[in-house]
Structure formats: structure tokens, C-alpha cells
Amino acid sequence: MAALIAENFRFLSLFFKSKDVMIFNGLVALGTVGSEELFSVVAFNCPCSPARNYIYGLAAIGVPALALFLIGVIWNNHTWNLVAECHKRGTKNFSAAATFLLFGSIMGRASVAPITWSVISLLRGEAYICALSEFVKPSSLDKFPAEYGAEVLAKFPCRDVPANLTKFRDEVARKLRYESQLFGWLLIGIVAVLVFLTKCLKHCCSPLSYRQEAYWAQYRSNEDKLFRRTAEVHSRILAAKNVKQFFGFVALDKEEKELVQEFPVEGVQPSPQWNAITGVYIYRENKGFPLYSRLHKWAKGVEGNGPTPEGHELLFLAS
């Protein structure tokens, strides 16, 4: 049983670590759908009070979406690469197109979860009905009693209304749910069109062939995996040496002893090397040969992130 659970977690981990943008975005969307359903069942509770419904309904849609957007920005590696780039080198080497594509990549990836949350909220309609029920004009309801006003309309989402208003409550709920779902479907359509146009524009403007883009994606993924794995081993071996120097010995398991013996670590990389491989990378070529990352540029001994020797800047492609 434990082995089965471990294998399932490993499978999910591989999916979440995948560099395939479509898979990643799909998983984010599915997770957001589940979170929104849980929120609606457990947490959403319309106050059914004038002036409070509107604030609560909009907050139920907008605040989680904003939080998900900020989390998406924080989790995006490009965000911190941009921070490091601005801190170390500034953005003087970026063209307007490169800057636009960089921010577009960050904002686009971060928008998957909040858009999904907003769409699901609108399709369910509960928050929209809660927010706007009190603003329905009584005159738009056929034979609505004149003695009732916004206070009663605000209670419609809670079904706490007099018996003679039941049919009006159902009519208001049906009307507002129609509007909410219409906005939800329109949002889906607009996002789909924007994604389609963005993909077309990217491939039309890219200086690389489809196969070279696929190779570049594979290279970035493999470089990142190998770098992280090697950095973990390097830091463990370095830590073991320092602990041994302090205590006179170090308690290692069998695997760690094999690592220490197999990979001797003499020291650490100086800060200039770390700075050279950290930051935003804009695709470059050196004498016609591609440079696929900052680490690749450093390994080839190419300095700077300015224009290519041919005098033009090539397209930035997000990883």
C-alpha cells in the first residue's frame, strides 16, 4: 500500500515538474476548479443584507482570483529572474519586444488560476446572484408587491422570503444566473481567442523552426533538472566536508558516503559565476550557433547579454 501511494505521489510530482506549458496550465486549472467547488460548498455564505451582498459577492469572486494571481507571479521563475536582472544588470539590454514578451509570459502563466476561478464562479452563479439580487428593479417583475423593496430582494439568495414572493425569487435567480453564465461563457471565448492569437503570433514571429524550438525546450528542461540535481549533491558533499572539519567526523549513510567518494568537491563557485548564470535570458546566437541559456553562454565564454554580433536582438522565448 505504501509503495502504491509513493508511486502515485511520484507520478503527480513528475506532472507538476513538467515543462510542458499545456500540462502545467491544465493541472493548475483543475486544481482551481476543485478549490472553487470546495469554497462554494464550505465557505460561501451570502449575508442576504442590503449593501453587504454586493461587497461579499464581488469579494468571493475577486479576492481569491487576486490571491491566485499573486501566487502565480511568485511561483514563476521568470519573476525572480527579472528581479535579479534588474538588480544586477538593469534592463538596458532589453528591447521593447523582449520586455513585452517577458511580462506577457509572467502574467499569462499567473492568470490561468484566477481566470479559471472567475469562470467557474460565474458559471455557478451563486456569488453573482448574491451580489446583484438587491439591484433588480421591482418594476421589471410582473405584479411584484409594491410594499417590498431592496431589503426583501437582498434576502432572495437565502430563500428567506414570504411565501407569496417565492415565484419572484425563482424568477430573479433565473435571470441573474443567466447573466452570470453568459459572462462566464464570454470570458471563456475571449480567453480562447487570445490564447490562439498569441500562439499564432509567437510561431509567426519566432526566428526558430518548430523542431529547434522543441529541442530548445528539451534542453532547458534537462539543464534545469541536471542543475538542480547536481546542486543538491554538491551542497550535500560540501556540507559534509564542513561538518567533518568542525566535529572531526560526519555521520553519513551508505549513499552519502558513495557520493562523497565519487564526487570530490574542492570549493564553491565564486559570486561572479552565479551572477553570470542568473537572470533573464534573451535568446542569442554567437557566429550563427545558438546559445540556449545563460549557463550555455557562460560555458562557451560569451560575455554580456547585449545585441548579437550581427547587430540584432532575437526573440525571447519563455521556458
Side-chain angles (χ1 to χ4, degrees), residues 79-102:
T79 302
W80 307 114
N81 284 335
L82 179 61
V83 172
E85 187 74 21
C86 293
H87 177 67
K88 296 295 183 182
R89 288 173 284 268
T91 58
K92 59 181 180 297
N93 294 324
F94 294 165
S95 67
T99 304
F100 174 78
L101 288 171
L102 174 60

Side-chain angles (χ1 to χ4, degrees), residues 139-161:
S139 59
S140 65
L141 303 174
D142 186 30
K143 298 180 180 180
F144 187 82
E147 62 270 19
Y148 297 115
E151 292 186 0
V152 173
L153 290 170
K155 296 180 180 180
F156 276 14
C158 296
R159 300 179 181 272
D160 184 18
V161 295

Side-chain angles (χ1 to χ4, degrees), residues 145-282:
E147 62 270 19
Y148 297 115
E151 292 186 0
V152 173
L153 290 170
K155 296 180 180 180
F156 276 14
C158 296
R159 300 179 181 272
D160 184 18
V161 295
N164 62 326
L165 297 181
T166 301
K167 66 175 184 178
F168 297 107
R169 181 199 65 200
D170 295 338
E171 181 180 351
V172 169
R174 182 168 58 252
K175 177 182 178 181
L176 293 178
R177 183 171 286 108
Y178 154 76
E179 294 178 0
S180 179
Q181 292 182 349
L182 178 62
F183 289 142
W185 291 120
L186 288 175
L187 182 58
I188 291 176
I190 292 172
V191 171
V193 171
L194 289 177
V195 171
F196 172 74
L197 294 177
T198 302
K199 295 290 289 184
C200 291
L201 184 63
K202 173 188 173 184
H203 288 291
C204 289
C205 297
S206 175
L208 306 181
S209 66
Y210 173 77
R211 290 188 180 275
Q212 189 176 6
E213 282 194 30
Y215 177 84
W216 188 12
Q218 292 175 342
Y219 173 84
R220 290 196 307 266
S221 177
N222 289 325
E223 181 188 85
D224 183 66
K225 291 177 183 177
L226 291 173
F227 188 91
R228 291 176 182 271
R229 192 186 309 165
T230 305
E232 180 184 357
V233 173
H234 186 280
S235 61
R236 187 182 304 180
I237 295 173
L238 181 63
K241 291 182 62 175
N242 292 336
V243 171
K244 182 178 181 180
Q245 185 174 355
F246 184 82
F247 286 107
F249 73 96
V250 59
L252 301 174
D253 57 28
K254 182 179 179 180
E255 179 184 358
E256 290 171 335
K257 289 180 181 178
E258 293 175 353
L259 290 176
V260 171
Q261 293 175 358
E262 184 176 0
F263 305 109
V265 173
E266 301 299 332
V268 296
Q269 286 67 32
S271 293
Q273 291 187 8
W274 286 104
N275 293 336
I277 66 170
T278 302
V280 176
Y281 180 69
I282 300 175

Side-chain angles (χ1 to χ4, degrees), residues 20-36:
D20 190 296
V21 175
M22 296 300 294
I23 293 178
F24 178 82
N25 289 346
L27 288 171
V28 171
L30 287 176
T32 306
V33 170
S35 300
E36 204 282 336

Side-chain angles (χ1 to χ4, degrees), residues 302-314:
V302 179
E303 299 293 337
N305 196 32
T308 59
E310 292 79 6
H312 64 278
E313 181 183 70
L314 298 181

Side-chain angles (χ1 to χ4, degrees), residues 34-45 56 59-61 64 117 121:
S35 300
E36 204 282 336
E37 290 292 332
L38 180 63
F39 173 82
S40 297
V41 173
V42 177
F44 186 81
N45 187 16
Y56 184 83
I61 299 175
W117 178 279
S121 297

